[in-house]
Amino acid sequence: MAGPELALSGEIDRRRWSITLTREEAEAAARLNIAYQNAILVAPEASRLRLLVNDMPLIDAPVASSDGLSDLTVAVPAGLLRPGLNTIGVESTLRHRTDCTVSSTYELWTTLASGRTFLEFAGSAADFAPRRLEDVRATGLDGEGLTLIRLALPAGDLSDAAPALMRLSQGLALLTAMPNQSVEIVQGSVPPARAGTLDVVVAPADAFGALAGALSASPSGGASFLRRGDGSSVLALTGSNWDEVAAGAERIVSFVDREGAAPRPAILNPALRTPDAPLMREGGALSFRELGVVSQEFAGRRFRTEFAVAVPGDFFAEAYGEAVVRLDAAYSGEVLPGSLVNLYVNGNIATTLPIGGGGSGVLDGFPLRMTMRHLRPGVNTIALEANLLTEADRSCRPGTSTGGAPRFALFDTSRLEVPDFARIARVPDLSAFQGVGFPYNVTRDPVDVVLPDDRAEGLSAAATFLGRIAFSAGHAIPLRLAPAPTGALGSHALFIGPTRQLPPEALTRAHIDPARAAEWGGQAPGPAAAPALTLEGWQKQFGTASGWRATLSDLEGWLRETFDIEAGGLRLVPASQQPFAPGADDGLVVGQGEGPAGVWTVLTAPSTAALRENIALVAREANWVQLVGRVSAFDPKESTTASQPVGAASFVPTQPFSFSNMRLILANWLSENVLAYASLIVVVALLLGIATTAFVQTLGHRE
């Protein structure tokens, strides 16, 4: 499981993901163990926990472990497991002990602990040690649900090794295909084996012997697996010099990132979800069956199911258009008025449908509409939830909460319909950056990477980040390590380093205040001067206004309440924004902006140590998806991210010119800029009036 635990909540919940096994693991006898704990309010006599492997149920047990973790163990039938991907499914059905309300369902939960949930194979570590490059996919996770790629290099200067390491980290990140992974570079010796860790020895032949130590043999060159004394394996990458090592790294990249492959049909994240999220590059329809949602009946109070769908990095439809869920469902006659079907997109409610009253009902392709602004580049999670009220739940007699006849049914013939949408990229936009790696995922030219600190700690930070970008993009990004002077850079560039070691121009272009960044982390020689006290600043801070400002404030409020128009939409150009000033609680800042000939993205922290630590945290799935806007600042203590909105942005064409795409682009832009739209209507009306007047004057007889 990706993460320290897996949480199942509500009356019903379901998770599906995949694990990769080697040929030797799939053929061995295996035992499955899960450790779980549930809320004290769960009624064990009516609650069940099920676990399926490759769609075969192996565990179906009462949920009865409120005092602490309990283990459930079962032997895996021979022939069930297979080399490569194997699907794991966990389903829970929970009922409340005493309460029958919809709100009480939020008190129900069951968690599975990663540290004690595992497949155990009969045999020694040597029997299952990786032998082939594809076995890297079976690296797995540690007890916290994390994957570590550990690169061991000889002691000394690493500047010559840096290009090979940055390329290798991308290839291995794609091979392991884990959402919560990091890269650590160590020097001097190969560390002991540990769970969820891929150890790789990277060195020229003349330095390999001293580094490898107790490994069973010396590699002949290129990539090969060597054995430790305990039987575990390490991946060895070597050559006569660092250029040959880099060529070996390139062969590993080509193994998983084949050139000329067709565009990916879905965004893959098998360790997090199964099936994959279909990537919709244009409008279309997908049935719930295609999205992994099965037909099911429900006898409780709050039904919930979810699926994932993805859109590309140049998705541009935040201000117009509607997607539709055509719902095929039914509910019984006991469902009362006040019951609701809610649609959530990325955790935000998108639409609500009242149901109930007047007997049973059938929803045959009923449209649940949601505005396109709820979607974002990359993967989007859509959840369907039904809150069902009945007379029996109001009285809540003993035994009522634990079951009954089905009240609601959802059918897999339901479908999601997405209209055609505009395709043009915006810069800056960290949402597209984290979602699909845009714009670095579409460039064919090498991306310049500026690394001021090429020691092990700085390279570890950069390798973790580049591996995460490759995972988001679905392929390795062409790279070129560049010198720090910004004038020597080509088009797109990445800057990864402490603030004081990065060029001020890079910080400025990424909308980060260089002066305030230099004071970040307590490095300032003295506190910054207090801002000047002004009447306008006081009114802005405390919301007081008078005169024409009060009138303008009332007008803005009326437009917001009546037409859902924000004040920002009444500007011909976006309001100017101040550069971002890092705060004391910020551990990492990610900013993006335009360079002289491309897009510049900056990752910075007060020190190299903070950079490495916080990039490893931000690279985890739960934190990574929080990167939005033009600047995002990560708080490691709270695991939260604060962001500045995109504001003024430049448009980057990504598609061949077509009138249909241009029409959609203009429709979205005019919907975002209401004042420009209104001004255009006025201009057109004036021109029409002038033309009409001129035409009328040519008619009739003059006296």
Side-chain angles (χ1 to χ4, degrees), residues 238-542:
T238 187
S240 60
N241 52 45
W242 281 114
D243 288 338
E244 289 193 8
V245 173
E250 200 62 40
R251 285 192 289 273
I252 291 177
V253 171
S254 64
F255 177 80
V256 69
D257 188 21
R258 293 175 175 82
E259 188 175 354
R264 55 177 174 169
I267 292 185
L268 281 62
N269 202 337
L272 191 65
R273 71 176 66 86
T274 297
D276 303 317
L279 181 54
M280 303 187 73
R281 292 183 170 85
E282 58 185 11
L286 293 167
S287 70
F288 276 24
R289 184 185 301 111
E290 295 172 297
L291 294 166
V293 179
V294 298
S295 299
Q296 50 197 307
E297 292 180 326
F298 180 65
R301 290 128 201 96
R302 182 168 64 95
F303 170 87
R304 183 180 176 88
T305 189
E306 65 180 37
F307 55 88
V309 66
V311 294
D314 57 357
F315 173 81
F316 186 60
E318 293 88 350
Y320 83 105
E322 292 180 329
V324 180
V325 171
R326 300 285 180 182
L327 186 62
D328 290 340
Y331 56 90
S332 67
E334 63 177 330
V335 175
L336 298 175
S339 301
L340 302 171
V341 175
N342 298 320
L343 191 68
Y344 295 85
V345 183
N346 296 322
N348 300 311
I349 190 164
T351 190
T352 295
L353 169 67
I355 61 173
S360 60
V362 174
L363 304 174
D364 185 5
F366 191 92
L368 295 178
R369 304 184 184 277
M370 62 180 185
T371 57
M372 298 282 277
R373 68 182 178 187
H374 288 96
L375 301 178
R376 64 190 182 198
V379 176
N380 298 267
T381 301
I382 300 176
L384 184 74
E385 183 177 285
N387 296 333
L388 307 171
L389 306 176
T390 67
E391 192 61 42
D393 290 339
R394 288 180 176 177
S395 57
C396 199
R397 296 175 180 175
T400 303
S401 64
T402 58
R407 304 173 176 179
F408 182 80
L410 176 69
F411 304 101
D412 61 9
T413 53
S414 302
R415 61 193 185 274
L416 170 68
E417 297 178 354
V418 177
D420 289 333
F421 50 83
R423 298 282 303 275
I424 192 169
R426 293 185 302 175
V427 177
D429 188 0
L430 291 178
S431 180
F433 173 72
Q434 58 87 2
V436 295
F438 188 87
Y440 308 101
N441 65 322
V442 296
T443 182
R444 295 186 177 181
D445 298 325
V447 174
D448 287 319
V449 181
V450 177
L451 302 175
D453 192 339
D454 59 5
R455 295 171 296 178
E457 204 165 38
L459 292 177
S460 296
T464 298
F465 173 71
L466 293 173
R468 178 68 230 205
I469 285 294
F471 184 69
S472 295
H475 62 84
I477 308 296
L479 302 175
R480 177 178 57 208
L481 296 189
T486 55
L489 300 180
S491 56
H492 299 315
L494 292 164
F495 296 80
I496 309 170
T499 50
R500 290 193 171 186
Q501 297 181 26
L502 292 178
E505 181 186 353
L507 296 173
T508 300
R509 288 184 179 275
H511 309 288
I512 302 171
D513 188 339
R516 295 293 300 274
E519 304 172 0
W520 189 14
Q523 303 179 83
L533 179 64
T534 63
L535 176 61
E536 184 176 351
W538 177 274
Q539 291 174 337
K540 183 177 180 180
Q541 179 179 358
F542 294 101

Side-chain angles (χ1 to χ4, degrees), residues 69-102:
L69 286 174
S70 295
D71 293 279
L72 298 173
T73 304
V74 64
V76 179
L80 178 60
L81 300 177
R82 51 181 179 252
L85 288 177
N86 293 262
T87 301
I88 307 294
V90 179
E91 301 174 354
S92 66
T93 300
L94 307 177
R95 292 294 182 264
H96 202 282
R97 287 181 181 270
T98 58
D99 204 329
C100 303
T101 62
V102 171

